[in-house]
Amino acid sequence: MASEGVLLGMGNPLLDISAVVDDAFLTKYDIKLNNAILAEEKHLPMYDELASKSNVDYIAGGATQNSIRVAQWMLQTPGATSYMGCIGKDKFGEEMKKNAQAAGVTAHYYEDETAPTGTCAVCVVGGERSLVANLSAANCYKSEHLKRPENWALVEKAKYIYIAGFFLTVSPDSIQLVAEHAAANNKVFLMNLSAPFICEFFRDAQEKVLPYVDYIFGNETEAKIFAKVRGWETENIEEIALKISQLPLASGKQKRIAVITQGADPVVVAEDGKVKTFPVILLPKEKLVDTNGAGTFFFSRLICVLGSEKYLFLISLLNAS
């Protein structure tokens, strides 16, 4: 049984507004399928248009919070997980708090009085999805909140800490504080590449925290951009995963494990100078609702079983997908 507070997540809490759309909708708002971007001015009318659709769903989410909620469901120990991020003092923020509590997650939100709770448009076409995040209050998190005794206590209690790369756009100093704590106290620090634009436009912040990362996750598109901006002249995913696993480590860190997913193609795992691949057993297309949340479930399952044989969990996960 998992201990209380064993897993901590920090990130951008967003209320997902999810609906099935068509190609014309994507074209109208200049959205590419299977992508994740931050909202620009041209995207803002999209949220009301999505909300007006008869098939709209609202989900308390954000990449890290979704992973923590799924991990909590898997662990089945009340309070095994905790989470921090910033929400607004509004009805969506209250919905977020109720949702986290109902899921069994210990959520310590920083509540900003000037910005509304963040939202994320989840545009689903033919089972594939694209995400457009309007961070709003999620963009207002401050490390001062993290440093408060009642919040830092969550950091000290955790043995595993997971942060998506999206949080690099908001509070890299908070990430750095937690990463250095993990290294100094022999804890496991996990991070996700999250999206191509993170690898491309937030490289400096990413570079600063990478030496502290024990497990780094990403998909093949993110991995290729990660390699491109560093001048690695290869698009071979196995080579890229190996290079990522061998990037310099902070003092006290022994090794890094890089895990790269490739959709229906084999998952690539690099560690100790070696690469292994794990085949994905395809889900019949008629059973696929959409791909939204697929990565969340993958990483949640991974985090929950880190204490066991790391490769057996991959096989069992992929066989169950």
Side-chain angles (χ1 to χ4, degrees), residues 98-117:
K98 287 191 296 183
N99 193 282
Q101 184 177 15
V105 177
T106 302
H108 287 198
Y109 296 113
Y110 171 58
E111 297 183 53
D112 188 90
E113 297 186 3
T114 63
T117 297

Side-chain angles (χ1 to χ4, degrees), residues 56-97:
V56 67
D57 285 320
Y58 296 96
I59 307 150
T64 302
Q65 184 169 224
N66 277 335
S67 292
I68 295 300
R69 289 172 61 234
V70 174
Q72 176 62 49
W73 172 72
M74 290 177 174
L75 291 170
Q76 293 293 303
T77 300
T81 64
S82 56
Y83 177 80
M84 283 186 275
C86 184
I87 60 176
K89 281 197 168 184
D90 53 23
K91 63 179 182 180
F92 287 158
E94 290 301 314
E95 184 65 33
M96 200 88 74
K97 289 191 284 187

Side-chain angles (χ1 to χ4, degrees), residues 137-277:
N139 203 36
C140 300
Y141 189 83
K142 303 291 189 296
S143 59
E144 287 72 20
H145 177 264
L146 171 65
K147 294 174 184 176
R148 293 175 190 170
E150 67 273 22
N151 300 326
W152 189 253
L154 299 181
V155 179
E156 293 181 328
K157 187 178 292 185
K159 295 180 181 178
Y160 300 90
I161 300 170
Y162 174 63
I163 300 178
F166 292 121
F167 204 47
L168 288 169
T169 72
V170 173
S171 190
D173 54 334
S174 295
I175 298 175
Q176 203 66 29
L177 283 170
V178 172
E180 291 175 5
H181 167 84
N185 292 274
N186 197 31
K187 297 181 177 183
V188 178
F189 186 71
L190 311 98
M191 202 161 187
N192 201 308
L193 297 178
S194 292
F197 81 90
I198 298 293
C199 303
E200 190 168 7
F201 300 114
F202 293 87
R203 177 182 171 177
D204 289 346
Q206 191 180 60
E207 288 278 344
K208 190 174 180 181
V209 74
L210 269 174
Y212 300 90
V213 179
D214 299 289
Y215 284 76
I216 186 82
F217 312 117
N219 63 34
E220 74 278 23
T221 305
E222 295 153 3
K224 288 177 182 179
I225 295 296
F226 186 97
K228 180 180 178 181
V229 300
R230 285 162 177 77
W232 299 350
E233 296 182 357
T234 179
E235 289 196 345
N236 182 284
I237 297 302
E238 294 188 21
E239 289 181 21
I240 295 171
L242 188 60
K243 282 179 172 288
I244 293 174
S245 71
Q246 294 175 329
L247 288 170
L249 292 162
S251 176
K253 293 289 183 181
Q254 300 301 312
K255 65 179 179 180
R256 177 185 299 108
I257 298 173
V259 181
I260 307 297
T261 62
Q262 304 183 92
D265 293 329
V267 175
V268 177
V269 180
E271 80 167 301
D272 290 336
K274 299 176 182 178
V275 176
K276 293 189 177 183
T277 60

